[in-house]
Amino acid sequence: MPEVLLIGGASDAMLTRMEAACTLHQWADHDMAWLQSNGAAITHVVTNGGAGVQPAIMDALPNLKMISCYGVGYDSIDAAEAVRRGIMVTHTPDVLNAEVATTAVLLMLACYREMRRDDAYVRSGAWETHGAAPLTRSAENQTIGILGLGRIGQAIADKLAPWNPTIVYHSRSKKDVAYTYYADLTDMAAACDVLICITPGGPSTNKLVNADVLAALGPDGTLINVSRGSVVDEAALIDALQSGALGWAGLDVFEHEPHVPKALRDLPNTVLLPHAGSATVETRAAMGALTVDNLLQHIEKGTVISAIPECADL
Ligand code: NAP
Ligand code: 8YV
């Protein structure tokens, strides 16, 4: 049976299917010394977007043929190095588009309608003692900028339709869509009420949303980040939220997860989620199924369902 290294957790359904077809080694039960002795036998790795495959682990697996990543983002896997070594890498695109889009809309609406503040208002009894809560802002008819109009970005745009937004977008290339394209992110932020980040992580997007972009979004602006923490300059974001240079932030992802700076946790104008963009039972089951489908198809036929673009020609 092929030997597979599992990095990170897996659902019972995933484990059952993998254990029937492979000898499964759980990284949580081992260490680098074990890997140095046993790594040559391992041909496949199953991992997730957070853990990825660290360079030392890749180095200790000289016969690695395939990495199946549970998650669409693969910035924690060195794709160029995998291609150089002829290692196929797969991920789980599309099956999570709707869920992550729902999370983005949820964060935006929670900021606009002050869900945290008003929930606390009811729970504290303030409604009874102080009367009606202060008014909130309407989310109708806003100009919403999407940073990264890919699979999930488009799903977010679609899901926002009932709020009658004007959608604009920024990415490196102009897409064949009816929305207005901004070649410059700061220019787009200046034109927007809301900026929603949904690019991949990694060097090309590192701190793309910097102090200038946040200042352009402005005191009435709302930043939503469901991409990767690395895409936003977190220190600049805290400064902007504290000073009022930026109005609100709804964040699912952070620079050093699971650490979230106390300054962000203390701010009343933030809504924070624990990287839960795709975290429903249904969507995680679909991601798990595709992760194992890719693995087993590679073992059985040498082909895969959803290679990362860098591995399309392998
Ligand atoms: P996708 O279809 O590949 O879309 C990515 C978009 O980002 C594309 O429009 C791309 O356009 C743009 N982009 C890439 N690099 C850029 C750059 N340097 N500057 C500006 N735009 C750039 O990917 P997806 O399936 O929508 O997923 C996007 C990302 O969402 C994932 O990689 C992951 O990091 C994140 N994600 C988060 C969660 C969560 O739980 N919070 C869940 C799923 C995914 P161009 O190539 O034209 O620039
Ligand atoms: C997952 C994600 O939480 O797909 C992604 O890129 O960020 C999330 O759906 C993550 O990959 C699982 O570790």
Side-chain angles (χ1 to χ4, degrees), residues 20 39-40 65 77 95 111 133 136 153 181-182 187 193-194 208 222 240 293 307:
K65 292 187 174 65
I77 298 169
V95 294
C111 287
T136 64
Y181 173 67
Y182 280 85
D187 289 348
D193 301 300
V194 184
L208 211 53
T222 300
D293 287 348

Side-chain angles (χ1 to χ4, degrees), residues 47-52 69-75 92-93 96 100 152 226-228 252-253 257 274-279 283-284 287:
T47 187
N48 60 57
C69 179
Y70 170 86
V72 67
Y74 53 92
D75 45 299
T92 61
L96 39 54
V100 182
I152 302 172
V226 285
S227 58
R228 286 289 183 261
D252 182 45
V253 288
E257 295 172 8
H275 199 143
S278 65
T283 295
R284 287 295 171 84
M287 290 163 62

Side-chain angles (χ1 to χ4, degrees), residues 100-265:
V100 182
T102 294
T103 305
V105 175
L106 178 72
L107 284 168
M108 182 188 129
L109 296 179
C111 287
Y112 267 78
R113 298 301 304 270
E114 301 284 2
M115 285 291 286
R116 272 187 60 207
R117 185 201 72 191
D118 279 2
D119 181 89
Y121 200 77
V122 175
R123 286 173 203 277
S124 69
W127 188 16
E128 278 186 74
T129 54
H130 290 71
L135 300 181
T136 64
R137 301 175 300 147
S138 174
E140 306 290 327
N141 307 313
Q142 300 298 287
T143 298
I144 301 179
I146 298 187
L147 169 54
L149 190 73
R151 290 173 290 249
I152 302 172
Q154 182 62 59
I156 293 171
D158 294 345
K159 211 155 262 230
L160 283 166
W163 286 275
N164 194 35
T166 299
I167 301 284
V168 299
Y169 72 102
H170 168 75
S171 52
R172 291 167 302 184
S173 60
K174 194 171 183 299
K175 320 280 177 196
D176 184 20
V177 290
Y179 315 127
T180 300
Y181 173 67
Y182 280 85
D184 184 88
L185 175 58
T186 310
D187 289 348
M188 182 172 84
C192 284
D193 301 300
V194 184
L195 174 62
I196 301 182
C197 308
I198 187 62
T199 60
S204 88
T205 55
N206 192 46
K207 294 187 174 35
L208 211 53
V209 178
N210 57 24
D212 290 344
V213 173
L214 296 170
L217 192 53
D220 295 325
T222 300
L223 176 79
I224 303 300
N225 189 8
V226 285
S227 58
R228 286 289 183 261
S230 58
V231 176
V232 175
D233 182 335
E234 207 165 72
L237 175 63
I238 291 168
D239 282 351
L241 288 165
Q242 285 176 334
S243 70
L246 176 69
W248 293 262
L251 308 171
D252 182 45
V253 288
F254 304 88
E255 230 173 275
H256 303 292
E257 295 172 8
H259 172 71
V260 178
K262 184 168 184 309
L264 268 183
R265 288 186 276 126

